[in-house]
Amino acid sequence: MVDDRADETEGQHANTSRRTFLKATGAATATAGVGTGAVSAASEDREGKEGHTDIEAMLSELTLEQKVGQMTQVDVGTFDPDSTEIPDSFGVETLGEYFSELELGSIISGGASPPTFDAEETVMGINALQEYNLENSEHSIPFLWGVDALHGNTLLAGSTSFPQRINMGATRDIETIEDAARHTADSAAAMGAHWTFAPTTDLQRDPRWGRFYEGITEDPTYLGEVSKARVRGLESNDRLCSTVKHFGAYSIPENGNDRAHARTSMRDLRTSLLPPYRTALEAEPKTVMVNSGAVNGKPAHASEWLLTQMLRERYGFDGLVVSDYDDFYRMLSNHDYTDSFRRAVKEGLNAGVDMYMIGNGGEAPGPAEFIETTVSLVEDGEISMECLDESVRRVLELKAELGLFEEPTVDPSEIHSVLGGAQEESERLAEESMVLLKNEDALPLSGDENVLLTGPGYDPVLDIENRFLIRHGGWTLGWQGVQEGAPTEGGPRPRGETITEAVEGSLDGELTHVPTDFRAQPYNPETSDANGDFGFTDEQEEEVREAAGSADAVVVILGEGPHNEGFGDRDELALDPAQRELVAAIEEEAPDTPVVGVVLAGSPRGGAETFDSLDAVVFAGQPGSDGGRAVAGTLLGENNPSGKLAFNWPESVGKVPNNYDAYPPLDDQEPLYAFGHGLSYTDFEYSDLSVAPGSVSDPASTPTVTASVDVENTGDEAGEHIVEVYNTQSFGSVLQPNRRLLGYERVELGSGESATVELDLDLSALEVVPGDVPGILPKVVEAGEYELSVGEETTALTVEDAGSITDDRPAIGFDPDADGDDYSAVVEFLRGLGR
Ligand code: BGC
């Protein structure tokens, strides 16, 4: 990870953890999912120290400094305990002293980049460092090793890079997404990691935001369900814990820039922004990470309302809350909220953070300063001992739950049986995520054509093929993408076949490949909207024109480079001028030849200015390891595309925000392609839509109804199809969203085949916050008639009486007694002012 990364950068939460300490008696159960043969010398020594599995005893043995050490996580770039490559301000001389001097609780090898991309070296490195820690720290408490395994365990060369989250959303295939998460967990655990900072559960609302590709969808209910499944998958290996992040409302910076302030409303928070996290929490993730931004004028890290009242008290979360990267310091450096690190730490820990994630230096304070500051806050009574102990307890309990006291290391041979696996799931997700945006009889290709394949994919400086960067995106063998977007020839790559290889393998006709220039922009905050540097040289133009003139079909790859966080923020959605010139040259040279665009991007990149010149457009997103096959299969008809957009594709950046569930009026806001759009090589027709029961007297006791619709494949090809039921019209005491997705189901039908599809409709998607502007009343499905639609088919569902499904209490802080008039937080505030 690049050093620059660190440069950018009341109440008490002492409620007792409800998580019962697993095997507090010290019973050494076989909780370790991997590495049963790997008990190290250090852990053998520990057999005599029975007390180490007794959390309370351990807690009582730790000094105040050591307790705070356990609450500290530091980014490291090496496994070598003798390494002196430690930022000057970090208060230690060597890496080993993090353990021998500070007794740190956790390590982050952030940015999807461990010190090496070699699997075996990584396992051995983590094991050796753990052994060093156990031997050299006073209490021999194993550390937690945290990573960003976000779309596969993409920290190792040869790993499976599953399609990015933007692709996952298009599949509506929660089962396979969960299977993929299960594989990620096995691979990360076999590597020696204990913690992955996934799933990202932030609503995908603003395509200007550089992390749009990490969102699953802009629909809160669907996002919640996918995130819940990912928690289940990621925690299916006993040795790994997941992180629901970034709590809450991280994804809606008002200016589209990462970590900028989110200006929203109580109604929006309670209707759309927070519910996905709440749903994900139902799967009981062991940890939650905090939003790096600020919400309605308050940094999330200092918000007791978010981190304690909402997260713990309302949503019942009893695990560990970790800060985001340097985020106490970010209250100074980014939010200008305070000029005192001490105040930031005090507010953060009192608000509900249990562990502070520290980056790799720059201006940001290191672990020694964090520990010293916290100790002094406790000594001065500004943070209670009770609050601090509760956080340390959570850290120790997590280590115990993961079996680290019994098995601190893993068996190095395990990783080889997992690495690069789950190809079937990866292929399936990649294929299911292909969204056919447009097709004027250009696709599928017959396979007999002579095809020109062109578009970005050649690094003119390194003289290497580099389209894989665009295919995998960020958090893949590097924070900004493979080797931080600056790959070396022969450097590490995830497993996978290129698009060119896959097309070549399936085509009977001749393939001419003319890759055009693309230099990914290595991280540089000064050029934060770069998303890649594209070129179209005279030589390339000549080759393209020559090949296009004689080709039967042209496939042009379009899109944007890998990117991440603020560096990926974009000011426009139109494609780079060099790509538009390329399309124009093809159109001019071969006006009658079918031209197909394949968009590889982490956002809705491209608009009518380019797509009007193309006969077909496939949105392939960032499809990962098996994206080559999925793209080739889609072009050649081996994969009949079935993906559906899980966000609105705006006409241009000037139309943002452009959300499918926006409130009316929506004049002049027609998206280029709407949520749910996705064509097929065959046709599907619907009939006989009905819903049972057709009338619900109380949604609280009947939260689900069943829709039934007949679907017929009336075309000539077999195909999969996602049937979706939307609420398209309703009236209530407040504005109703334009559309809401209530249920979806994938079906597979041969040509001429039909089926009756039954779909469970989750009525909680219809909940609104009724009442006037403040938006503080309990959430309800209001009484009334709800129009349900599948394509052009409609039916109606009647709700006789209003009822709450997910949250029958008013907003926290307004009416704790739910008696309709006790605004006690306000009363308390006024009392504080002496009024
Ligand atoms: C990101 C998190 C990530 C963390 C560790 C932060 O900058 O916001 O999503 O998990 O870094 O790499």
Side-chain angles (χ1 to χ4, degrees):
M1 185 172 309
V2 193
D3 279 342
D4 287 344
R5 196 173 167 207
D7 285 333
E8 32 156 328
T9 54
E10 302 287 303
Q12 310 270 304
H13 68 116
N15 49 329
T16 314
S17 166
R18 277 182 278 121
R19 173 171 295 153
T20 38
F21 165 44
L22 186 92
K23 321 304 176 257
T25 54
T29 55
T31 47
V34 288
T36 40
V39 183
S40 66
S43 56
E44 271 162 24
D45 286 351
R46 299 166 50 72
E47 280 180 0
K49 301 181 183 178
E50 280 298 321
H52 277 81
T53 48
D54 180 336
I55 299 298
E56 291 310 318
M58 204 181 309
L59 198 58
S60 68
E61 279 173 22
L62 297 174
T63 63
L64 180 52
E65 283 77 4
Q66 288 165 343
K67 285 180 181 175
V68 186
Q70 285 300 308
M71 295 163 62
T72 310
Q73 181 179 62
V74 175
D75 196 351
V76 303
T78 166
F79 296 123
D80 178 8
D82 295 327
S83 168
T84 52
E85 282 178 29
I86 307 285
D88 291 344
S89 60
F90 272 25
V92 291
E93 300 284 320
T94 65
L95 182 80
E97 287 176 11
Y98 282 155
F99 310 108
S100 59
E101 299 294 314
L102 303 180
E103 214 140 330
L104 294 193
S106 181
I107 294 300
I108 169 183
S109 119
S113 45
T116 160
F117 294 119
D118 180 86
E120 205 160 315
E121 278 175 32
T122 301
V123 186
M124 307 285 268
I126 299 177
N127 277 351
L129 201 58
Q130 185 72 285
E131 284 171 8
Y132 179 93
N133 165 41
L134 298 174
E135 278 161 19
N136 293 281
S137 59
E138 192 184 327
H139 297 90
S140 303
I141 299 173
F143 58 63
L144 287 160
W145 188 276
V147 298
D148 288 282
L150 306 187
H151 63 117
N153 182 32
T154 47
L155 290 96
L156 300 178
S159 58
T160 293
S161 147
F162 290 108
Q164 287 281 7
R165 281 63 51 85
I166 190 170
N167 289 64
M168 292 183 191
T171 67
R172 313 290 200 270
D173 182 355
I174 294 191
E175 222 176 287
T176 312
I177 293 173
E178 185 172 337
D179 289 345
R182 205 168 285 129
H183 171 78
T184 305
D186 290 343
S187 177
M191 185 183 77
H194 313 117
W195 190 350
T196 176
F197 306 120
T200 307
T201 308
D202 311 311
L203 207 61
Q204 191 185 42
R205 256 199 192 166
D206 191 333
R208 295 171 303 172
W209 186 46
R211 303 189 77 168
F212 189 84
Y213 75 101
E214 297 193 63
I216 298 281
T217 172
E218 61 170 299
D219 181 81
T221 313
Y222 176 44
L223 172 59
E225 288 305 322
V226 173
S227 304
K228 183 157 80 172
R230 295 187 71 211
V231 170
R232 280 196 303 264
L234 292 171
E235 298 216 352
S236 63
N237 187 307
D238 293 340
R239 289 282 286 196
L240 197 84
C241 68
S242 69
T243 300
V244 166
K245 71 184 187 184
H246 308 77
F247 191 82
Y250 174 42
S251 55
I252 55 154
E254 62 179 327
N255 57 13
N257 294 335
D258 189 35
R259 291 169 159 92
H261 172 244
R263 198 184 296 271
T264 178
S265 67
M266 186 59 83
R267 177 165 281 124
D268 195 26
L269 280 166
R270 297 178 64 224
T271 311
S272 304
L273 294 165
L274 298 182
Y277 306 104
R278 185 196 58 76
T279 308
L281 293 173
E282 286 172 2
E284 300 186 5
K286 293 186 179 66
T287 78
V288 161
M289 190 188 290
V290 184
N291 166 11
S292 210
V295 185
N296 286 348
K298 192 77 178 170
H301 280 78
S303 170
E304 200 240 348
W305 185 88
L306 268 176
L307 304 184
T308 295
Q309 296 186 30
M310 213 56 209
L311 179 64
R312 295 204 183 276
E313 290 164 9
R314 180 67 54 105
Y315 291 165
F317 176 68
D318 64 1
L320 180 143
V321 173
V322 64
S323 79
D324 202 346
Y325 207 81
D326 281 330
D327 271 41
F328 289 163
Y329 178 64
R330 217 182 291 269
M331 287 192 219
L332 289 67
S333 65
N334 189 53
H335 299 301
D336 239 337
Y337 171 69
T338 172
D339 58 2
S340 153
F341 182 62
R342 182 183 164 93
R343 179 179 154 202
V345 172
K346 175 184 160 181
E347 293 200 12
L349 295 180
N350 278 328
V353 176
D354 298 309
M355 182 179 275
Y356 185 39
M357 181 191 284
I358 295 177
N360 45 18
E363 299 291 311
E369 188 174 341
F370 168 65
I371 294 171
E372 201 180 300
T373 306
T374 308
V375 166
S376 126
L377 283 163
V378 175
E379 284 172 350
D380 293 349
E382 295 184 56
I383 294 176
S384 74
M385 198 64 213
E386 203 191 355
C387 166
L388 193 96
D389 276 351
E390 189 53 30
S391 290
V392 184
R393 199 172 281 122
R394 289 193 186 110
V395 175
L396 299 176
E397 282 175 354
L398 179 58
K399 294 180 177 187
E401 279 190 272
L402 294 170
L404 299 193
F405 292 107
E406 288 90 356
E407 298 280 349
T409 55
V410 295
D411 178 349
S413 66
E414 293 278 338
I415 188 66
H416 295 297
S417 57
V418 200
L419 189 67
Q423 186 166 345
E424 202 182 313
E425 289 78 4
S426 162
E427 261 177 34
R428 181 158 180 77
L429 286 178
E431 283 174 358
E432 289 178 350
S433 69
M434 296 292 120
V435 184
L436 182 61
L437 295 176
K438 164 178 178 175
N439 189 14
E440 289 167 1
D441 290 331
L443 287 177
L445 304 175
S446 72
D448 295 330
E449 299 92 341
N450 292 330
V451 173
L452 163 65
L453 174 67
T454 182
Y458 169 71
D459 186 319
V461 177
L462 293 175
D463 188 23
I464 58 168
E465 188 281 318
N466 66 353
R467 191 169 294 141
F468 63 87
L469 286 174
I470 316 186
R471 205 172 84 227
H472 294 290
W475 301 117
T476 313
L477 301 179
W479 174 43
Q480 294 289 332
V482 180
Q483 293 184 285
E484 305 306 342
T488 50
E489 191 176 0
R493 309 276 189 268
R495 174 185 65 69
E497 197 182 11
T498 66
I499 295 176
T500 318
E501 286 162 352
V503 172
E504 204 153 38
S506 302
L507 195 69
D508 292 330
E510 206 176 295
L511 180 72
T512 308
H513 184 211
V514 185
T516 57
D517 283 0
F518 159 50
R519 289 279 290 157
Q521 293 282 340
Y523 178 72
N524 178 354
E526 301 304 313
T527 57
S528 66
D529 63 349
N531 293 139
D533 187 1
F534 297 92
F536 184 39
T537 64
D538 292 348
E539 238 178 11
Q540 286 161 357
E541 182 169 350
E542 206 174 300
E543 280 183 61
V544 163
R545 283 183 184 272
E546 194 186 321
S550 59
D552 302 314
V554 179
V555 174
V556 52
I557 307 288
L558 302 164
E560 61 188 7
H563 52 269
N564 208 351
E565 299 186 18
F567 185 47
D569 295 339
R570 45 186 84 70
D571 296 341
E572 51 186 333
L573 296 175
L575 290 159
D576 183 271
Q579 297 182 34
R580 282 148 66 185
E581 279 169 34
L582 169 64
V583 171
I586 297 166
E587 198 183 23
E588 191 181 292
E589 196 63 45
D592 301 325
T593 308
V595 184
V596 180
V598 175
V599 181
L600 290 176
S603 67
R605 196 90 196 199
E609 67 286 339
T610 311
F611 296 169
D612 282 353
S613 307
L614 301 169
D615 300 290
V617 181
V618 179
F619 179 58
Q622 294 170 330
S625 283
D626 298 292
R629 268 254 49 77
V631 168
T634 305
L635 296 173
L636 289 148
E638 292 153 17
N639 173 49
N640 190 348
S642 60
K644 288 197 168 191
L645 290 179
F647 54 85
N648 261 4
W649 188 299
E651 263 187 2
S652 70
V653 77
K655 302 281 184 180
V656 172
N658 189 320
N659 301 112
Y660 100 108
D661 58 353
Y663 293 136
L666 295 169
D667 306 340
D668 199 30
Q669 277 296 99
E670 198 56 35
L672 187 62
Y673 300 111
F675 186 109
H677 176 73
L679 305 172
S680 163
Y681 297 149
T682 189
D683 297 307
F684 295 94
E685 277 178 21
Y686 306 119
S687 57
D688 287 337
L689 173 65
S690 62
V691 62
S695 178
V696 168
S697 54
D698 173 19
S701 49
T702 314
T704 313
V705 296
T706 307
S708 167
V709 67
D710 289 348
V711 188
E712 186 181 355
N713 178 347
T714 55
D716 299 332
E717 305 288 332
E720 287 194 21
H721 179 65
I722 303 166
V723 182
E724 297 195 314
V725 182
Y726 292 91
N727 162 231
T728 38
Q729 179 73 271
S730 48
F731 303 98
S733 71
V734 289
L735 297 181
Q736 305 290 306
N738 171 43
R739 274 199 299 157
R740 286 176 282 201
L741 180 64
L742 299 185
Y744 42 86
E745 195 69 50
R746 248 180 193 276
V747 288
E748 190 176 355
L749 292 174
S751 164
E753 241 185 306
S754 57
T756 300
V757 182
E758 302 219 319
L759 305 99
D760 286 339
L761 307 188
D762 180 354
L763 298 188
S764 74
L766 295 175
E767 279 184 328
V768 294
V769 178
D772 219 316
V773 172
I776 59 177
L777 296 178
K779 282 170 73 177
V780 288
V781 179
E782 295 195 293
E785 190 158 293
Y786 291 83
E787 181 185 71
L788 307 182
S789 304
V790 177
E792 301 292 304
E793 290 287 298
T794 58
T795 186
L797 169 74
T798 305
V799 173
E800 286 162 28
D801 288 311
S804 294
I805 298 175
T806 62
D807 196 351
D808 61 1
R809 286 169 290 172
I812 287 184
F814 289 94
D815 191 0
D817 304 336
D819 63 359
D821 61 8
D822 179 9
Y823 290 71
S824 66
V826 180
V827 172
E828 210 173 287
F829 177 73
L830 293 173
R831 221 176 265 142
L833 292 177
R835 290 194 211 151

